[in-house]
Amino acid sequence: MERNNLYPIFLKAKNLHVLIIGGGFVAEEKLTFLLKSSPDANVTMVSPMFREGTKALAKKGNVKLIKEKYHKRYLKGKHIVVATTEFPEVNEKVYKHCRKRSILVNVADNPPFCDFYMGGIVTKGNVKVAISTNGKSPTTAKRLRQFFEDVIPENVDDLVKNLNEFRKTIKGDFEEKVETLNEFTKGLIEKKES
């Protein structure tokens, strides 16, 4: 049976430099979801043209638009690259340039040319849930995101903040603190008997 071997991490996008190559619908979609999740992300976009929606988004965030064709010089100082052009040969070139420089890269809609995938994300205050289908079905990730948006209560952030304060008052070593918090929170996931 096939399984998802991806390692999930949550990146502080404010501390990284992200490059999106392309200016069409897919590039705008990637920028939209990136800024929705990390409004303080540092983003550069390179493309001969940009959609009006992309220009509007760029004004709201820390987004620099460069109206030119891709060149490998734009990779300098970048940590993450997303290639979204409609030209497979350009996207493949971006992938190869990134691999040579140890830069994480995602070529949209082309899993073999991806070091990472951008999955569905649910955010409720300090709580963030990320969903991956191993690059196989963005539609399934979207449906799961909608499901979790409905089932995670709006006040979950209050619970997180209260538990954080409670955690500060617990005495003992690390193991004792973990045991106390586990006992205190186990009611959150216990299934109700019918």
Side-chain angles (χ1 to χ4, degrees):
M1 185 176 128
E2 191 176 0
R3 63 173 265 181
N4 187 329
N5 287 332
L6 298 173
Y7 183 74
I9 59 172
F10 291 90
L11 300 171
K12 295 180 179 178
K14 180 181 181 181
N15 300 340
L16 303 172
H17 295 282
V18 179
L19 174 65
I20 299 175
I21 299 159
F25 177 76
V26 176
E28 186 174 306
E29 186 179 66
K30 299 292 185 186
L31 178 65
T32 299
F33 286 113
L34 176 61
L35 294 179
K36 182 179 178 190
S37 189
S38 302
D40 55 359
N42 294 300
V43 184
T44 301
M45 295 184 75
V46 174
S47 176
M49 59 70 66
F50 295 102
R51 294 168 52 90
E52 290 305 314
T54 302
K55 292 176 189 174
L57 278 170
K59 289 178 185 169
K60 292 179 190 172
N62 186 19
V63 181
K64 179 180 178 184
L65 301 179
I66 299 174
K67 209 169 178 182
E68 291 190 23
K69 288 184 175 180
Y70 167 75
H71 188 278
K72 64 184 175 186
R73 71 176 170 268
Y74 293 117
L75 299 176
K76 187 172 181 174
K78 301 303 183 278
H79 300 103
I80 296 173
V81 174
V82 180
T84 69
T85 78
E86 61 186 344
F87 305 106
E89 66 279 4
V90 172
N91 292 337
E92 193 169 329
K93 189 188 304 184
V94 170
Y95 176 79
K96 288 177 180 171
H97 289 163
C98 288
R99 296 308 312 132
K100 202 177 266 190
R101 290 160 180 79
S102 299
I103 299 170
L104 293 175
V105 61
N106 171 290
V107 175
D109 299 323
N110 197 337
F113 292 97
C114 293
D115 293 322
F116 64 94
Y117 303 126
M118 298 162 129
I121 298 169
V122 178
T123 306
K124 303 249 177 146
N126 285 292
V127 175
K128 186 168 282 194
V129 178
I131 301 148
S132 166
T133 60
N134 213 14
K136 304 245 185 268
S137 177
T139 303
T140 301
K142 176 184 174 182
R143 294 294 174 229
L144 286 169
R145 175 183 55 79
Q146 291 168 337
F147 169 77
F148 283 112
E149 281 176 346
D150 289 342
V151 298
I152 297 173
E154 292 300 324
N155 67 346
V156 72
D157 199 43
D158 295 335
L159 175 67
V160 169
K161 289 175 184 171
N162 291 336
L163 283 173
N164 185 45
E165 290 304 313
F166 176 62
R167 185 182 70 178
K168 293 174 188 175
T169 68
I170 301 171
K171 305 290 183 232
D173 63 16
F174 178 76
E175 282 184 34
E176 290 171 314
K177 289 181 179 186
V178 168
E179 184 60 36
T180 301
L181 284 169
N182 281 339
E183 191 62 32
F184 190 76
T185 59
K186 74 178 181 183
L188 293 174
I189 58 164
E190 285 180 343
K191 292 186 174 126
K192 305 249 189 290
E193 299 286 329
S194 347

